[in-house]
Amino acid sequence: MTIATKTRPMDEETLLLDNAHVLQRTPLPWSQFSIILFLHMAEPLATNAIYPFTPELIRDIGITHGNEKKIGYYVGLMGSLFFLSEAVTVFQWSRLSDHIGRKPVILVGLTGLAVSMYSFGLSTTFLGLVLSKCLHGSLDGNVGVIRSMIAELTDATNVAQAYAYAPIAASTGAILGPLIGGSLSRPADQFPWLFGTNTFLKKYPYFLPCAISATFTVSSLILALIYLKETVKNPIPLSHLIRNKKPTLNTDDSQKTAREDNEVPLPFRAVMTPQVIIAAGSYAMLALVNTGLHSIQPVFFFTPITDGGLDLSPPTIGVILCISGLLNGLLQVFCFAGIHNRWGSRNTLFLGILAAIPVFALFPVMNWLARKEGASWVLIWSALGAQLVFSASINMAYGAIFIIIADAAPNRASLGATNGLSQTAVSVVRSIAPAAANSLYSLSIEKGYLGGNLVYLVLIGVVGIACWTALLLPKDGNGRRHWTKVN
């Protein structure tokens, strides 16, 4: 039987003994781990499916009144409102999962995602798009909950391996999503021989890619309902939790008593340790960098060359984002575990964040090459290829920070609260980042600040701050937990 026990904190002597005596790696529980990977793919598939056509959709609904320079404002605003709705609820969902179990919360999140995507595809106004995304955000606690399940299924010997495979799901979604969104948006125009007479798809030209991703989410929901096993021991039925109000989400039970039992969720104040706060802050800064990148990237690709972009079509943007997802997956699978085991969590995180500097610096380089008379598109695509490689390197930082957050959890039973707290910090940042980044992007172009490149300079400054926060983390965060699984 697998139980969780608390061990003494690792000191230097213990670490030396660990290096001298290599522990046998615990095999990953593939039957459940593969299901978790499949479920984890639903959200990145849906999120990335709308990226290629969102700028075009914002233009088509007419909210910019023909001014394409304002597209970035509305794309960013919609993204920010989604993350704001997530920030308000994600901690409560994650904390609730510590009590009633991970599975019920995951089922609610998948349901919300499916309904949101169907609704997004049927929306013909900016308000409808925003409400659809906010529905997804308010019901979505799955990111933190799934990470909690991964931590509960692993120990210090196989956690790096698990987080090397975990991005396969996100990368697969990042590969398939843009292909679906880019190739199947406006199907009546792209495939007139097949959809040219379909009046429904002419009225709702972006419904098909949304419906495909939503239907995949429904299949994930059915799979979870039938086969996913609960990882929380002795979960409390929600009706019992509401009726008896014991334990409540804001309980003030003795911290000492809770720590003596590794299976009891700790009160909020006990979760707010310095280790958790620093880890959550570092995660938030990483998210700020990455969200800024992914907010302006599709808008940059879609923007006319004369306005500072590359003037690419949604299908081309979809292919580029697909290649980006593929590179990310390959780098994670073949490089992350080795880099992490050699350099440790903090250094892996630091190097991943540092890779964002050339990513942002290459945006103005690509536009300069596109503007230059006689410039070869080979050079432009080469610069874009380099940007995608560096961008994939940024994503390696996520595996490292997830391990750091799991290590920081006060006990096993508070993993949901710890991940929820971290995800709340990230959602708050992400509620600001898309609107801020895209507004600054549009403002830089409209006003010509630094030749339209002010946004990239600001984002490079944010990278510097994120690197500094990473250096505040402990040096020995290598997946060695003060609580662990033993047989």
Side-chain angles (χ1 to χ4, degrees):
M1 178 178 179
T2 299
I3 60 174
T5 62
K6 183 181 178 184
T7 63
R8 64 187 179 89
M10 296 291 182
D11 54 21
E12 293 182 2
E13 179 182 356
T14 307
L15 295 178
L16 290 174
L17 289 173
D18 283 348
N19 291 331
H21 300 87
V22 179
L23 296 176
Q24 183 178 1
R25 177 182 294 175
T26 305
L28 286 174
W30 279 107
S31 59
Q32 284 297 295
F33 188 61
S34 58
I35 294 175
I36 291 175
L37 292 182
F38 189 80
L39 302 181
H40 190 32
M41 187 166 60
E43 182 161 2
L45 178 69
T47 301
N48 284 278
I50 70 173
Y51 279 157
F53 63 76
T54 297
E56 185 179 54
L57 171 59
I58 293 296
R59 183 195 64 187
D60 289 351
I61 62 177
I63 194 166
T64 64
H65 303 290
N67 186 352
E68 295 195 0
K69 294 180 180 179
K70 291 185 177 180
I71 289 176
Y73 287 114
Y74 291 99
V75 172
L77 178 60
M78 184 174 65
S80 291
L81 291 173
F82 161 72
F83 286 117
L84 180 61
S85 63
E86 184 181 73
V88 173
T89 60
V90 67
F91 176 76
Q92 296 301 327
W93 284 119
S94 297
R95 188 76 191 277
L96 183 65
S97 75
D98 284 336
H99 295 274
I100 68 171
R102 316 293 184 206
K103 183 173 180 177
V105 175
I106 287 177
L107 295 177
V108 171
L110 291 172
T111 301
L113 175 58
V115 174
S116 168
M117 289 303 296
Y118 284 124
S119 175
F120 192 89
L122 293 172
S123 299
T124 57
T125 65
F126 184 70
L127 178 61
L129 297 175
V130 168
L131 291 177
S132 298
K133 293 299 292 179
C134 288
L135 173 65
H136 173 199
S138 62
L139 295 179
D140 183 24
N142 283 6
V143 175
V145 174
I146 286 177
R147 286 206 305 269
S148 298
M149 293 192 78
I150 292 175
E152 288 166 333
L153 289 171
T154 61
D155 58 29
T157 68
N158 59 8
V159 62
Q161 181 188 19
Y163 280 113
Y165 285 114
I168 293 177
S171 298
T172 303
I175 293 169
L176 297 179
L179 283 180
I180 293 171
S183 61
L184 297 181
S185 62
R186 306 188 68 89
D189 295 333
Q190 293 199 63
F191 308 102
W193 53 274
L194 184 60
F195 301 109
T197 59
N198 192 310
T199 56
F200 178 83
L201 291 179
K202 286 184 177 180
K203 183 178 181 180
Y204 304 103
Y206 303 100
F207 177 77
L208 184 58
C210 294
I212 290 175
S213 60
T215 303
F216 176 84
T217 303
V218 172
S219 68
S220 302
L221 174 66
I222 296 173
L223 178 69
L225 184 65
I226 299 174
Y227 295 108
L228 185 64
K229 296 180 181 179
E230 183 58 65
T231 57
V232 172
K233 294 187 176 183
N234 304 315
I236 302 170
L238 181 60
S239 58
H240 179 79
L241 186 66
I242 296 174
R243 183 172 60 253
N244 294 331
K245 298 183 180 180
K246 291 183 179 181
T248 65
L249 295 184
N250 296 313
T251 182
D252 289 322
D253 293 339
S254 168
Q255 179 176 342
K256 179 179 178 181
T257 302
R259 288 186 183 277
E260 291 175 352
D261 185 353
N262 207 32
E263 299 303 323
V264 176
L266 298 177
F268 176 74
R269 286 179 294 179
V271 176
M272 290 284 290
T273 64
Q275 294 88 345
V276 171
I277 293 173
I278 294 174
S282 188
Y283 182 24
M285 289 306 303
L286 170 62
L288 179 59
V289 171
N290 206 38
T291 304
L293 167 62
H294 289 292
S295 296
I296 66 173
Q297 192 176 44
V299 180
F300 169 82
F301 292 150
F302 185 75
T303 301
I305 294 174
T306 54
D307 290 334
L310 290 184
D311 197 20
L312 302 178
S313 66
T316 303
I317 296 173
V319 172
I320 293 171
L321 296 180
C322 168
I323 294 173
S324 177
L326 179 61
L327 287 174
N328 178 40
L330 293 174
L331 197 62
Q332 293 282 352
V333 171
F334 294 107
C335 300
F336 173 74
I339 293 174
H340 177 269
N341 290 338
R342 180 177 178 84
W343 296 103
S345 299
R346 190 187 75 162
N347 291 338
T348 303
L349 173 66
F350 178 83
L351 292 173
I353 296 173
L354 196 64
I357 292 178
V359 169
F360 291 123
L362 282 166
F363 279 114
V365 171
M366 287 187 288
N367 179 251
W368 177 79
L369 289 172
R371 288 171 179 262
K372 188 175 180 181
E373 185 177 352
S376 171
W377 272 92
V378 173
L379 293 176
I380 298 173
W381 289 112
S382 297
L384 178 58
Q387 186 188 58
L388 296 183
V389 171
F390 282 115
S391 178
S393 300
I394 298 174
N395 285 285
M396 280 205 303
Y398 278 98
I401 194 61
F402 295 157
I403 293 173
I404 291 170
I405 292 171
D407 290 346
N411 70 356
R412 174 194 175 104
S414 298
L415 267 173
T418 303
N419 277 306
L421 179 65
S422 302
Q423 196 62 40
T424 298
V426 168
S427 296
V428 170
V429 166
R430 286 174 171 168
S431 69
I432 301 170
N438 280 300
S439 295
L440 185 57
Y441 175 84
S442 295
L443 186 65
S444 298
I445 293 174
E446 282 189 294
K447 303 298 183 180
Y449 294 140
L450 291 181
N453 299 319
L454 175 64
V455 59
Y456 309 122
L457 183 62
V458 171
L459 288 170
I460 289 174
V462 172
V463 173
I465 299 173
C467 288
W468 175 74
T469 59
L471 294 177
L472 297 177
L473 293 163
K475 294 181 180 180
D476 58 348
N478 293 297
R480 297 180 174 91
R481 301 169 181 164
H482 58 85
W483 56 266
T484 186
K485 285 175 59 179
V486 298
N487 292 324

